[in-house]
Amino acid sequence: VQLQASGGGLVQAGGSLRLSCSTSERTFGRSTATWFRQAPGKEREFVAALWRGGQRTYYADSVKGRFTISIDNGKNTVYLQMNSLKPDDTAVYYCAADPTLILSSLRNPQAYDYWGQGTLVTVSS
């Protein structure tokens, strides 16, 4: 299963970007789809998740109220709408998915079987 992440770029602080994660297969039907990010010199961290096809959404405290994760099942695409961006949001953003993930592993990147290639988001001050 291949995931394709896109939508990254350079934006000024306070701006917005929308990331997309698409697949040619029906991966997201009942899977948990999650965005992680990794800044230079830091570990990969959880950003937002769509639990089992959209039953619930989860966010890191650092992005709550600014980022929104959503899914378009018809397009097999998961989105991450990022508003009010800050320089601290600068990172490579990765999408991941897993059909059998348990809730306690939601924020653990090692628990996911499928990954996209990453897309760079740079927020200038």
Side-chain angles (χ1 to χ4, degrees), residues 47-123:
V47 176
L50 202 64
W51 173 251
R52 300 223 172 145
Q55 293 181 24
R56 290 193 65 175
T57 56
Y58 296 86
Y59 296 94
D61 288 343
S62 59
V63 307
K64 203 171 293 184
R66 300 188 297 123
F67 291 10
T68 303
I69 189 170
S70 62
I71 189 168
D72 184 333
N73 282 310
K75 296 182 179 179
N76 292 329
T77 301
V78 171
Y79 301 100
L80 184 68
Q81 178 66 43
M82 305 185 296
N83 299 327
S84 302
L85 283 161
K86 305 175 182 180
D88 284 350
D89 295 318
T90 294
V92 177
Y93 284 70
Y94 298 90
C95 61
D98 196 286
T100 62
L101 192 77
I102 60 174
L103 190 56
S104 59
S105 296
L106 187 73
R107 298 167 190 258
N108 179 8
Q110 295 182 355
Y112 288 76
D113 285 342
Y114 307 116
W115 287 87
Q117 82 285 9
T119 184
L120 177 62
V121 172
T122 304
V123 184

Side-chain angles (χ1 to χ4, degrees), residues 4-22:
Q4 183 73 30
S6 62
L10 174 63
V11 63
Q12 289 188 333
S16 299
L17 281 175
R18 188 178 77 160
L19 305 183
S20 300
C21 179
S22 60

